[in-house]
Amino acid sequence: MATLVIDEACDSTTRILPYAAGGPYAERVTLYAAYGSNLDPHRMAQRAPSSPAAGTGWLQGWRLTFAGADLGWDGALSTVVEDSSSAVFVALYDMTSLDEAALDAWEGTALGLWRKIRVRVDTMNASVLAWLYVLDDYEGGLPSAHYLGVIADAAEAGGAPRDYVERLRTHPCRGIGDER
């Protein structure tokens, strides 16, 4: 993993990698907090191959939930909402600008369904600022059983605690053929 140099001229979510995957030059990166299916490190290696993992942490005062059941997918999609009594497990990535653009395209930000927000993530060593995607839709609806399984598997692969993964695996969901 690369050692990071803090660039005082940047906002607190921007850092500089002393080298980039494609060569010996410095690369400006932002800290991305992944949740949902993006917790899977193998999935993120495909979606953002030049953006190394930077640890894990918790969004204190946020809750993983589901929304957008009427948007045409097979059930609701994962998102996060503020909730003072909850916490969401996240994986952190030092996201390059090219990988960020590719991830934006993958997530469909140009469609206006997702927006980026800045959040504070508590890690074992510090509290850091990062950005993440939130679904721009009303909370509600159930995810499909398949999608919920993908999220639970991703959380497990991403190093989430066993009880967090178990809560995901037992969350209510839509079965095959269920009405929205």
Side-chain angles (χ1 to χ4, degrees), residues 66 69 74-77 140-144 171-174:
F66 297 89
D74 188 28
L77 302 171
L142 293 175
S144 69
H171 189 281
C173 62
R174 292 182 47 224

Side-chain angles (χ1 to χ4, degrees), residues 22-123:
Y25 53 89
E27 174 79 24
R28 189 174 301 269
V29 295
T30 57
L31 197 58
Y32 166 60
Y35 66 91
S37 64
N38 284 349
L39 278 172
D40 186 329
H42 301 297
R43 180 173 283 113
M44 283 302 295
Q46 293 172 339
R47 294 181 182 172
S50 298
S51 299
T56 60
W58 291 92
L59 293 175
Q60 298 293 340
W62 291 81
R63 173 173 45 87
L64 181 71
T65 188
F66 297 89
D70 60 338
L71 296 177
W73 286 276
D74 188 28
L77 302 171
S78 65
T79 191
V80 294
V81 296
E82 290 186 81
D83 181 339
S84 62
S85 64
S86 296
V88 178
F89 182 81
V90 297
L92 297 170
Y93 288 87
D94 284 318
M95 188 68 59
T96 66
S97 58
L98 288 176
D99 281 350
E100 183 176 348
L103 195 57
D104 284 352
W106 176 265
E107 296 292 348
T109 57
L111 300 173
L113 300 175
W114 297 93
R115 58 188 169 88
K116 293 179 185 176
I117 63 169
R118 290 171 38 143
V119 294
R120 187 156 299 281
V121 177
D122 293 333
T123 70

Side-chain angles (χ1 to χ4, degrees), residues 161-179:
R162 200 171 338 165
D163 63 328
Y164 186 85
V165 174
E166 186 59 29
R167 280 195 312 271
L168 289 172
R169 293 200 189 286
T170 59
H171 189 281
C173 62
R174 292 182 47 224
I176 296 173
D178 288 352
E179 292 295 319

